């Protein structure tokens, strides 16, 4: 019979097929997302991620989606209202608050004001993994304590080696979120389940299963060294058993990540025996 995706993986993967450099248009992306949501693995899916800029060139679908705020921060409130008026139900908004090396506080202040005006709309503040990070996390924690629906998002990859944090660096970020009770999202670089080096670029990518197991370890009181050990694993063996042990519980802290093809992370989880392929 058909089986449900274990709770540990529920909503883990957002559909990022429309994000650059996407080869497909909005209509095709929406149709494919609907195919996924009708499949046996539907519970693995989070939101379809729609860049705000794409809707200026194509008709807006009447559906629910996560909005990627790739427009100036000042234009975000107006953009959200226009999209709602066109029929898009916005489940959450993800927006960068600064470039790498810039002070994230001004951008966070703007997003916090937006959150105050949009009570009930979940916002994710994309914070660079650079100078000012811990102070920014303190600001997010203060906003959440004040009742605002805001959480951090981090990019863990890109087009340069320095955009890939080391296991120790990412472990410190995860523990910092744990200490502040901050759920977080990740973007970029999470191409496979386990940590690996891309033979074309030479960049070493984090694995989404590494992050999941590392976050469970952090939530259970693990310190940076233990969390970094899980992030550094390049073989699935030390990751599979902890993942199986926690498969029936909710996923702590790690909200999820986006994948250009949601079938790829699904396939890897099936191959590792963590999802059984839909039947038992």
């Amino acid at each position: 019979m058909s089986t449900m995706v274990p709770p540990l993986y529920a909503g883990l993967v957002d559909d990022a097929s429309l994000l650059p450099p996407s080869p497909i248009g909005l209509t095709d992306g929406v149709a494919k997302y609907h195919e996924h949501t009708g499949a046996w693995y539907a519970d693995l899916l989070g939101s379809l991620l729609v860049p705000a800029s794409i809707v200026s060139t194509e008709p807006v679908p009447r559906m629910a989606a996560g909005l990627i705020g790739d427009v100036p921060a000042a234009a975000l409130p107006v953009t959200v209202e226009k999209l709602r008026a066109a029929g898009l139900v916005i489940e959450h908004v993800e927006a960068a608050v600064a470039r790498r090396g810039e002070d994230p506080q001004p951008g966070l202040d703007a997003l916090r004001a937006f959150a105050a005006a949009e009570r009930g709309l979940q916002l994710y503040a994309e914070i660079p993994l650079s100078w000012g990070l811990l102070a920014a996390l303190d600001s997010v924690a203060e906003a959440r304590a004040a009742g605002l629906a805001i959480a951090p998002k981090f990019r863990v990859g890109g087009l340069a080696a320095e955009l890939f944090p080391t296991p120790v660096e990412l472990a410190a970020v995860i523990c910092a979120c744990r200490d502040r009770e901050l759920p977080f999202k990740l973007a970029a670089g999470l191409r496979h389940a386990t940590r690996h080096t891309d033979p074309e670029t030479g960049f070493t990518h984090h694995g989404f299963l590494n992050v999941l197991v590392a976050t469970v370890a952090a939530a259970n009181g693990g310190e940076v060294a233990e969390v970094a050990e899980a992030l550094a694993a390049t073989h699935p063996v030390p990751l599979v058993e902890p993942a199986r042990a926690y498969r029936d519980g909710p996923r702590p802290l790690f909200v999820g990540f986006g994948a250009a093809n949601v079938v790829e992370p699904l396939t890897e989880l099936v191959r590792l025996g963590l999802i059984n392929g839909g039947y038992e």
Side-chain angles (χ1 to χ4, degrees):
M1 66 179 178
S2 179
T3 61
M4 301 291 287
V5 170
L8 186 64
Y9 311 108
L12 176 65
V13 185
D14 286 331
D15 185 337
S17 60
L18 293 173
L19 303 188
S22 173
I24 65 174
L26 186 57
T27 301
D28 290 340
V30 169
K32 194 64 178 178
Y33 180 72
H34 284 319
E35 287 183 23
H36 293 315
T37 57
W40 66 264
Y41 53 85
D43 286 348
L44 179 69
L45 300 183
S47 300
L48 175 66
L49 301 180
V50 177
S53 58
I54 199 174
V55 297
S56 63
T57 59
E58 298 190 46
V60 178
R62 301 186 70 85
M63 63 174 295
L67 186 69
I68 302 298
D70 60 343
V71 296
L76 199 54
V78 173
T79 301
V80 167
E81 286 307 311
K82 286 183 177 179
L83 294 175
R84 283 175 172 160
L88 187 69
V89 177
I90 299 175
E91 296 176 319
H92 70 267
V93 175
E94 304 176 21
V97 297
R99 295 178 181 176
R100 188 176 176 86
E102 294 180 344
D103 183 0
Q105 291 296 342
L108 271 176
D109 289 343
L111 205 59
R112 181 170 179 164
F114 182 45
E118 287 282 350
R119 296 275 180 173
L121 177 61
Q122 177 65 56
L123 303 181
Y124 291 96
E126 185 180 308
I127 304 170
L129 297 177
S130 60
W131 178 82
L133 172 62
L134 293 182
L137 294 182
D138 287 337
S139 294
V140 174
E142 291 171 2
R144 289 176 64 84
L148 301 183
I150 187 169
K153 172 186 171 183
F154 310 109
R155 302 187 77 81
V156 293
L159 300 178
E162 63 268 21
L163 300 179
F164 292 79
T166 68
V168 171
E169 290 169 339
L170 184 53
V173 173
I174 291 174
C175 289
C177 289
R178 183 269 318 276
D179 294 342
R180 293 164 176 78
E181 299 182 349
L182 296 176
F184 63 87
K185 297 191 78 171
L186 296 182
L190 296 170
R191 295 183 178 178
H192 296 292
T194 53
R195 182 173 176 83
H196 68 284
T197 299
D198 187 315
E200 295 184 4
T201 65
F203 298 152
T204 301
H205 291 247
H206 290 283
F208 66 83
L209 186 61
N210 294 76
V211 174
L212 196 158
V213 171
T215 306
V216 169
N220 287 335
E223 295 303 329
V224 171
E226 179 183 350
V227 176
E229 183 178 0
L231 290 170
T234 56
H235 195 281
V237 168
L239 304 174
V240 167
E241 286 310 314
R244 284 178 177 158
Y246 289 98
R247 71 191 300 268
D248 295 324
R251 184 173 61 258
L253 296 175
F254 182 25
V255 177
F257 68 100
N261 182 355
V262 299
V263 174
E264 290 181 347
L266 168 70
T267 300
E268 296 206 15
L269 290 169
V270 170
R271 287 175 177 170
L272 291 172
L274 297 174
I275 293 179
N276 68 8
Y279 296 91
E280 64 180 5

